[in-house]
Amino acid sequence: MIPFNKPFLTGKETTYIEEAVASGKISGNGIFTQKCQNFFEETYGIKKALLTTSCTDALEMCALLLNIKEGDEVIMPSYTFVSTANAFVLRGAKIVFADSKLDHPNIDETKIESLITFKTKAIVVVHYAGCACDMDAILSIANKHNIFVIEDAAQAIDSYYKDRALGSIGHLATFSFHETKNIISGEGGLLAINDEQFIERSEIIWEKGTNRSAFFRGEINKYGWVDIGSSFLPSEIIAAFLWAQLENITEIQEQRISIWSQYESELKTLAEKKQFRLPITPKYSTNNAHMFYILCNTNEERTKLISFLKEKGVHAVFHYLSLHKSEYFKLKHDGRKLYMTEEYSNRLLRLPLYYKLTSEEIIYISQQISAFYEH
Ligand SMILES: *Cc1c(COP(=O)(O)O)cnc(C)c1O
């Protein structure tokens, strides 16, 4: 069986974990945490980076930093992971879902402005499959109405909008190092703070509402409880693992991009003939090869293709069920039909993509897809 995902190890993970353990400092915010955070700040032009235990946690920190409270409204796509919405729901926000684009699962920037009210606090964009949302258009709407932009860049490491790294553009942004992402630490995440007004408070929220970070830097001579917060920082053991991955990001990305490109060239002609769609990367975005998906013609076609591939030993999977139709949210939704969101929920199929996927396996998978469409 060719699995959907296989976590890739560079080989240095356990070496660095041993180093962390031997150093005697294994709680958070030590040397490996610093290395990882500096990497994000220096490589991607992020003002301040903080490691978190997950992207979900980083999103929850965003909601705390923006002081989201009962009745505030937050606009985001419905075609996303639950955490994008849940982080704000936990603070009492009302989620207002926007539809996806015609040619991409990303939020349709032309559908945002009509959803803004005097209660709107933020727009959360999700760079689906590591492909950039139209950030100039979104920032100009946000600036006009004086609201914040958060990038859920969980899938978007090492990807760019024009010449700016994803995660460095919104006021705040979040990354994930879950084992299904390009760069992993089992569970893990990062909060990127690009608007300086949030830097000081972000460290306090990160450290259980205390000013311990400033204390460790020697800026104050005792630390205590100064704000609300929680335990959002991972241990050095996680950071050590993550550092072994970040050190090899160039090689990891090259390999993934080459796999992605091979899929595209294997499937291009068939897709044109059978009218299923391959991913479209807009001119303003790079492709970080987080995911290779196809868009089947119908839901029924997708269901049949999944079971056909399964019989042939290939594990292909569908993706998000629209959040506005979820069991938790359906009665809270305002009833607007989100046509494209539902299309992606019904028709999008993800193919196996991981570092160790071989060229022969890609050819085999593509041949099976071809065999399916030929009968
Ligand atoms: C993976 C993912 C998350 C959640 O990341 P965790 O690190 O598992 O919390 C959130 N949003 C999107 C878009 C994701 O793909």
Side-chain angles (χ1 to χ4, degrees), residues 54-56 80-81 84 126 152 154-155 176 178 181 187-188 320:
S54 64
C55 179
T56 302
T80 183
F81 189 60
T84 318
V126 179
D152 180 342
Q155 307 173 8
S176 173
H178 183 264
K181 305 300 202 271
E187 303 276 357
Y320 302 129

Side-chain angles (χ1 to χ4, degrees), residues 52-59 79-85 125-129 152-156 174-181 186-190 290-291 319-320 350:
T52 57
T53 49
S54 64
C55 179
T56 302
D57 264 359
L59 286 160
Y79 195 72
T80 183
F81 189 60
V82 288
S83 296
T84 318
V125 302
V126 179
H127 304 298
Y128 187 78
D152 180 342
Q155 307 173 8
T174 64
F175 290 90
S176 173
F177 311 118
H178 183 264
E179 71 167 19
T180 51
K181 305 300 202 271
E187 303 276 357
L190 182 136
H290 172 61
M291 184 195 300
H319 210 185
Y320 302 129
R350 298 181 292 160

Side-chain angles (χ1 to χ4, degrees), residues 127-142:
H127 304 298
Y128 187 78
C131 179
C133 296
D134 191 346
M135 294 309 290
D136 283 344
I138 292 162
L139 285 174
S140 100
I141 295 165

Side-chain angles (χ1 to χ4, degrees), residues 38-97:
N38 289 345
F39 175 89
F40 272 82
E41 289 165 9
E42 283 158 21
T43 316
Y44 301 123
I46 285 162
K47 288 231 175 72
K48 173 78 188 167
L50 292 176
L51 283 192
T52 57
T53 49
S54 64
C55 179
T56 302
D57 264 359
L59 286 160
E60 286 177 27
M61 287 183 71
C62 292
L64 289 169
L65 280 167
L66 299 189
N67 288 318
I68 297 293
K69 58 181 186 326
E70 196 77 37
D72 287 344
E73 294 179 5
V74 179
I75 298 170
M76 65 181 65
S78 171
Y79 195 72
T80 183
F81 189 60
V82 288
S83 296
T84 318
N86 204 40
F88 297 89
V89 169
L90 278 172
R91 311 302 309 162
K94 177 181 163 197
I95 308 299
V96 180
F97 288 118

